[in-house]
Amino acid sequence: MFNWLRTNVYAAGLMVILRFYLGYAWITGGWHKLTGGFDATGFLKGAVTKPVMDKATNELVYPTFTAFLENFALPNAKLFNVLIPLGEFLVGLGLVLGALTTAAAFFGVLMNFMFLFAGTVSTNPWMILLGVIVIAAGANAGKFGADYYILPYLRKLLRHRGDHGANPTLGGGKTRAHI
């Protein structure tokens, strides 16, 4: 199944539908926040004052995440007022266009987990599941999208950079092999 998802042309076609669905959800969420005067302060304060608690022990379920929210995110809420909507919008754009698809899906899954850790369930588990499927499909998820053009270029660029790193030059542009 995993191999089929990563290599099959029909799986790539299904990924287009999945990408569009997931991407549309991210784009609309991000766009509404970008244009609607989003302020993360209330959400962050709520996540700190009413964190996810273990009902049996009455202890924090995610103490380090709650500490992160309280000590970093809340004091820097203005930064998060930009990062969250912009991140959501860019994740959606990457998925819809099929541009850096697996990276977009990864960051979408990461944001969904952050929202879950903060105590918001909503559609996050569903979006995590779909995002993981896109990530599992790898490059095949963007085969019918901008990745068709972007990934070969990036591979060529990385190979070219790797060639220069493999032959350290000595003075005058000569490599050790030429001396």
Side-chain angles (χ1 to χ4, degrees):
M1 178 68 167
F2 187 70
N3 191 42
W4 179 83
L5 194 60
R6 295 181 68 87
T7 60
N8 189 283
V9 70
Y10 296 111
L14 289 173
M15 287 298 105
V16 171
I17 296 167
L18 186 62
R19 279 188 4 238
F20 276 33
Y21 173 78
L22 199 53
Y24 179 78
W26 279 112
I27 282 179
T28 56
W31 183 253
H32 290 302
K33 288 178 180 89
L34 284 170
T35 60
F38 175 72
D39 186 6
T41 308
F43 175 79
L44 293 171
K45 283 181 180 177
V48 169
T49 58
K50 294 181 182 177
V52 179
M53 303 291 285
D54 184 332
K55 289 182 175 54
T57 63
N58 203 29
E59 292 180 6
L60 290 173
V61 175
Y62 310 113
T64 52
F65 187 72
T66 304
F68 164 76
L69 292 178
E70 186 173 15
N71 299 308
F72 183 77
L74 198 51
N76 297 296
K78 288 184 180 181
L79 176 65
F80 285 86
N81 290 342
V82 174
L83 290 179
I84 291 171
L86 188 60
E88 288 180 1
F89 185 80
L90 291 175
V91 163
L93 194 62
L95 289 169
V96 167
L97 297 176
L100 302 174
T101 308
T102 52
F106 170 79
F107 285 109
V109 167
L110 186 65
M111 279 193 289
N112 282 131
F113 272 116
M114 296 301 117
F115 299 148
L116 283 173
F117 292 156
T120 302
V121 177
S122 185
T123 59
N124 294 310
W126 177 243
M127 291 177 72
I128 288 171
L129 174 65
L130 297 178
V132 166
I133 293 170
V134 172
I135 292 169
N140 206 32
K143 185 175 188 169
F144 298 127
D147 279 349
Y148 180 80
Y149 303 100
I150 293 171
L151 293 183
Y153 174 76
L154 289 176
R155 285 185 193 108
K156 182 180 175 185
L157 184 67
L158 291 173
R159 250 192 323 268
H160 178 68
R161 292 184 116 200
D163 291 343
H164 290 309
N167 297 319
T169 60
L170 300 174
K174 293 185 178 187
T175 63
R176 292 176 192 239
H178 292 104
I179 297 178

